[in-house]
């Protein structure tokens, strides 16, 4: 019997090829600074979201910003549909721990209000700002004087009527032409502190549009699938489009648009990036889908473990396995894991079995081992994980989770 060692040799008549690079090098681009967050030119890919509160409700908006920051958000966007919303911006900007972008539609005068309020950037939608073309010079001068970047945000649902008439619908070419046309208007006035988004609800249209943009300009690109849908469907559509583009080196900042709380959008974005090795790994639950060999309710156990570790502040891979086929192997490969069955759970820490506990104690023991082997992670963990902490420590941990 002939033995073949991996990696496999080249086939006869075919030269051996070097391993393919899974994620391409980042597309070269200009760099802008959204407040303290650099975007483009090789800067880390940032995660954004948008508040869903009325911007006039300053306290509620700041609470939602805090929850988004706790989930890993780098940049936050707030809607400015009215003069009252514009008046709320200074207070929000002053108290937000991350840069605030003002989202402007219909009324260009709110752009100037946002700049005066100290917003880190302004998003404009050329398709629905009245007489936008006639205001570009004034906007460019005000933004340039304040060093405030402009995001040209083109959406399929509000595409310029002239382009809809030309292309018949929101095609990748129409979205790209709209963005580049508006960029050219700013360029005429010497303003190039710009990033671009061209969003559509269809992932394949999004991929095609951003490929066109990436080839046509060197502005940093904000990726997103607009109106992606409820959390399950929208996360998949966003992961498909962003995964393809990011693997090709396209994209400098992302926003996952879901019919879900902003913090959930942020979590989805962070997971997309970490899955591609583009962001440090956070909490990762590795759990089996289940089969007829199971002797434990793996779905319920995985949910309990995920809930218990929610908010764990440092990277951690936790394996939750339910049978003897892959359980021990996956558990050994994780930072912490359990291979369960017959009413018991075998607890692994960095590949070594450290205990066998009753099923009812699995989650508690996993938490204990996580803290025992990462003592420096105590700050920011759920309060119940370190009941011996003094009140000062508990207060600090609470603050860490709420920032």
């Amino acid at each position: 019997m002939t033995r073949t060692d991996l990696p496999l040799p080249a086939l006869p008549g075919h030269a051996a090829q070097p391993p393919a690079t899974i994620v391409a090098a980042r597309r070269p681009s200009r760099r802008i600074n959204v407040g303290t967050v650099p975007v483009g030119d090789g800067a880390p890919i940032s995660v954004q979201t948008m508040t869903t509160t009325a911007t006039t409700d300053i306290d509620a908006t700041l609470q939602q910003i805090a929850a988004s920051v706790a989930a890993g958000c780098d940049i936050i966007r707030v809607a400015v549909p009215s003069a009252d919303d514009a008046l709320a911006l200074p207070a929000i900007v002053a108290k937000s721990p991350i840069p605030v972008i003002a989202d402007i539609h219909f009324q260009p005068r709110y752009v100037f209000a946002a700049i005066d309020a100290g917003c880190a950037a302004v998003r404009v939608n050329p398709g629905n700002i009245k007489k936008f073309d006639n205001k570009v010079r004034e906007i460019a001068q005000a933004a340039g004087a304040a060093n405030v970047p402009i995001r040209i945000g083109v959406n399929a649902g509000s595409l310029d009527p002239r382009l809809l008439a030309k292309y018949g619908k929101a095609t990748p070419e129409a979205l790209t032409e709209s963005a580049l046309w508006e960029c050219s208007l700013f360029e005429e006035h010497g303003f190039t502190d710009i990033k671009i988004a061209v969003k559509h609800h269809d992932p394949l249209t999004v991929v095609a549009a951003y490929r066109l943009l990436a080839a046509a300009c060197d502005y940093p690109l904000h990726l997103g699938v607009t109106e992606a849908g409820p959390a399950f469907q929208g996360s998949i559509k966003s992961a498909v489009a962003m995964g393809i583009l990011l693997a090709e080196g396209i994209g400098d900042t992302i926003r996952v648009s879901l019919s879900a709380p902003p913090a959930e959008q942020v979590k989805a974005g962070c997971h997309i990036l970490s899955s591609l090795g583009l962001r440090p790994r956070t909490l990762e639950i590795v759990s089996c889908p289940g089969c007829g060999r199971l002797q434990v309710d793996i779905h319920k156990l995985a949910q309990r473990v995920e809930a218990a570790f929610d908010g764990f502040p440092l990277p951690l891979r936790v394996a939750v396995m339910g049978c003897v086929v892959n359980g021990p192997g996956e558990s050994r490969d994780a930072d912490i894991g359990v291979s369960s069955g017959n009413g018991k759970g075998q607890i692994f820490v960095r590949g070594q079995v450290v205990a066998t506990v009753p099923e009812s104690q699995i989650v508690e023991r996993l938490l204990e081992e996580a803290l025992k082997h990462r003592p420096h992670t105590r700050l920011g963990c759920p309060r119940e994980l370190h009941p011996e902490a003094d009140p000062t420590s508990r207060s600090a941990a609470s603050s860490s989770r709420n920032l």
Side-chain angles (χ1 to χ4, degrees):
M1 180 177 179
T2 302
R3 174 186 169 191
T4 302
D5 293 323
L6 295 177
L8 296 175
L11 295 174
H14 294 75
Q17 298 294 322
T21 300
I22 303 301
V23 177
R26 290 276 294 285
R27 156 187 168 269
S29 73
R30 307 183 190 199
R31 174 174 292 195
I32 65 171
N33 291 295
V34 180
T36 57
V37 179
V39 177
D41 188 33
I45 298 172
S46 52
V47 176
Q48 307 190 22
T49 191
M50 187 171 181
T51 57
T52 59
T53 54
T55 305
T56 52
D57 190 339
I58 295 172
D59 288 342
T61 300
L62 288 171
Q63 287 175 11
Q64 205 166 72
I65 291 173
S68 299
V69 172
C73 190
D74 301 302
I75 300 170
I76 198 76
R77 183 156 43 108
V78 299
V80 188
S82 72
D84 288 339
D85 295 299
L87 290 173
L89 288 175
I92 293 171
V93 169
K95 295 182 179 180
S96 173
I98 55 176
V100 176
I101 297 178
D103 193 75
I104 312 293
H105 298 260
F106 303 112
Q107 294 295 342
R109 69 178 183 271
Y110 298 147
V111 174
F112 304 108
I115 293 172
D116 291 340
C119 288
V122 176
R123 180 272 176 105
V124 295
N125 185 338
N128 62 20
I129 286 190
K130 298 176 181 178
K131 300 180 180 178
F132 177 84
D133 294 356
N134 298 329
K135 291 289 186 180
V136 170
R137 180 177 180 178
E138 295 176 53
I139 293 173
Q141 289 177 342
N147 293 317
V148 172
I150 297 289
R151 173 188 150 201
I152 303 295
V154 180
N155 271 26
S158 53
L159 191 64
D160 190 307
R162 295 169 290 186
L163 291 170
L164 283 176
K166 177 179 178 179
Y167 289 97
K169 61 179 182 178
T171 64
E173 293 78 10
L175 295 169
T176 302
E177 184 173 332
S178 176
L180 294 178
W181 166 253
E182 300 303 341
C183 286
S184 73
L185 297 180
F186 279 98
E187 290 166 353
E188 289 177 1
H189 302 288
F191 187 88
T192 58
D193 206 8
I194 296 169
K195 64 187 172 88
I196 306 176
V198 284
K199 296 188 179 182
H200 196 284
H201 63 83
D202 174 55
L204 297 181
T205 301
V206 168
V207 170
Y210 278 101
R211 283 173 173 168
L212 290 173
L213 264 181
C217 72
D218 65 352
Y219 288 115
L221 302 181
H222 168 125
L223 302 187
V225 177
T226 193
E227 296 136 6
F232 178 75
Q233 170 185 292
S235 295
I236 292 173
K237 290 169 68 174
S238 297
V240 167
M242 292 183 191
I244 292 172
L245 291 167
L246 291 168
E248 294 177 0
I250 298 172
D252 302 289
T253 184
I254 68 171
R255 189 263 175 114
V256 178
S257 299
L258 306 174
S259 297
E264 296 305 308
Q265 301 176 23
V266 172
K267 291 176 183 177
C270 291
H271 277 296
I272 290 171
L273 292 178
S274 63
S275 295
L276 291 165
L278 297 172
R279 192 178 181 99
R281 179 169 57 88
T282 53
L283 176 67
E284 179 184 2
I285 304 294
V286 178
S287 60
C288 65
C291 68
R293 290 183 293 268
L294 287 180
Q295 297 175 325
V296 64
D297 188 339
I298 196 66
H299 302 151
K300 183 179 294 185
L301 179 59
Q303 290 172 355
R304 288 175 56 211
V305 171
E306 183 178 34
F309 277 89
D310 184 38
F312 203 84
L314 291 179
L316 190 71
R317 178 178 286 118
V318 183
V320 183
M321 307 301 293
C323 79
V324 297
V325 176
N326 295 315
E330 289 286 3
S331 297
R332 288 192 181 95
D333 191 50
D335 297 315
I336 295 174
V338 59
S339 181
S340 52
N342 291 324
K344 298 179 292 184
Q346 200 171 41
I347 306 297
F348 289 78
V349 176
R350 297 191 177 94
Q352 301 298 317
V353 177
V354 297
T356 299
V357 300
E359 185 177 321
S360 61
Q361 298 177 18
I362 287 175
V363 176
E364 179 182 359
R365 186 57 183 266
L366 287 173
L367 291 172
E368 289 179 0
E369 295 299 335
L371 294 175
K372 183 188 303 181
H373 292 273
R374 290 178 180 266
H376 56 292
T377 68
R378 290 161 55 90
L379 184 61
C381 291
R383 182 178 300 178
E384 62 269 22
L385 302 193
H386 43 89
E388 76 282 9
D390 61 35
T392 302
S393 298
R394 291 183 181 181
S395 176
S398 177
S399 298
S400 176
R401 285 174 60 86
N402 291 329
L403 287 179

